[in-house]
Amino acid sequence: MKRALTVLAAAGALALAAAAPAHAADYRYWSLRHGDDGAWTTTTVGPGTYRPQDGAVEGWRFAVFQEATKDSVNPRAKPDFDAICGSTPAKAGTKRVALVLDFGTAKDAPPGERPPAAVRKECVRLPPDATTAEGLAEAVPPLRYGNGGLLCAIAGYPRNGCADVVGGERASTKAPDDAGNGEDGGPSVGLLAGAALVVALGGAAAWQVRRRSGGQR
């Protein structure tokens, strides 16, 4: 699994361009973005290994990823650290990270579920080496992980499902068993690399162990 995920990160846009149109499908999932000079940027690093710096803005959007509108997975609020964390003073030995949580629209929601109406913004103070996943666990629990460390739910939303296929020729509601090959109803290699499907790359597993043992604040 780790080897497959490493290949995904290296493949990047090349894999996306090589994805065959016959296998195109839409997927519903949480997408991670980094704030950079007032705009959202994509990433190939999962929340379990990415370590934001003091002043960072981490954005999340729950949406149906569509090949024709890739920007639909961007949060609908701008990354503005000062607006979110301006009232939280800097403190030695810690870092401040702003979180933007966009739960998406009713159209993006899984059947029978309703997303929170407002985009949620949180300022979290963390140890210097904390990951994005640790920031989420601190500010917006509960989190739900699926196979291979795939982040399926933030703040308990959605209650069910994990990167479900909602369109295309291989329609399925089965969560991916192997996020690297897309053969079992999971995201294709191109989608994973190009859209940065949120996979913890093994870091989330280690973080969960530390949290259960009381090592995490």
Side-chain angles (χ1 to χ4, degrees):
M1 183 63 185
K2 290 182 180 179
R3 176 179 295 178
L5 293 173
T6 301
V7 171
L8 288 179
L14 178 62
L16 179 61
H23 293 283
D26 298 338
Y27 291 86
R28 180 189 293 117
Y29 65 92
W30 278 104
S31 177
L32 171 62
R33 295 288 186 265
H34 302 314
D36 184 15
D37 290 333
W40 295 112
T41 61
T42 59
T43 176
T44 56
V45 182
T49 55
Y50 186 76
R51 302 178 190 277
Q53 300 298 311
D54 181 72
V57 184
E58 298 288 88
W60 296 84
R61 171 73 187 271
F62 187 81
V64 174
F65 179 90
Q66 299 174 333
E67 287 293 329
T69 56
K70 294 178 176 61
D71 61 349
S72 66
V73 296
N74 287 332
R76 292 170 294 171
K78 292 183 178 180
D80 189 336
F81 178 81
D82 290 337
I84 301 171
C85 289
S87 61
T88 303
K91 183 178 179 181
T94 69
K95 63 183 177 183
R96 298 159 300 162
V97 176
L99 301 175
V100 176
L101 287 301
D102 186 339
F103 295 85
T105 67
K107 183 178 180 180
D108 293 323
E113 300 205 42
R114 193 181 193 91
V119 175
R120 185 169 173 179
K121 301 175 183 179
E122 301 283 345
C123 184
V124 59
R125 190 188 296 278
L126 299 167
D129 63 346
T131 64
T132 297
E134 289 172 305
L136 286 174
E138 180 80 11
V140 285
L143 308 181
R144 176 166 58 84
Y145 285 91
N147 295 336
L150 190 67
L151 182 56
C152 305
I154 298 174
Y157 182 82
R159 296 189 303 272
N160 302 295
C162 194
D164 296 339
V165 180
V166 295
E169 296 185 5
R170 295 182 290 110
S172 169
T173 57
K174 181 181 177 183
D177 293 322
D178 182 351
N181 58 31
E183 294 299 321
D184 295 316
S188 67
V189 170
L191 177 62
L192 285 168
L197 183 61
V198 183
V199 177
L201 301 177
W207 159 70
Q208 287 174 313
V209 170
R210 293 199 307 272
R211 189 165 184 257
R212 284 196 298 267
S213 65
Q216 193 217 344
R217 53 185 294 270

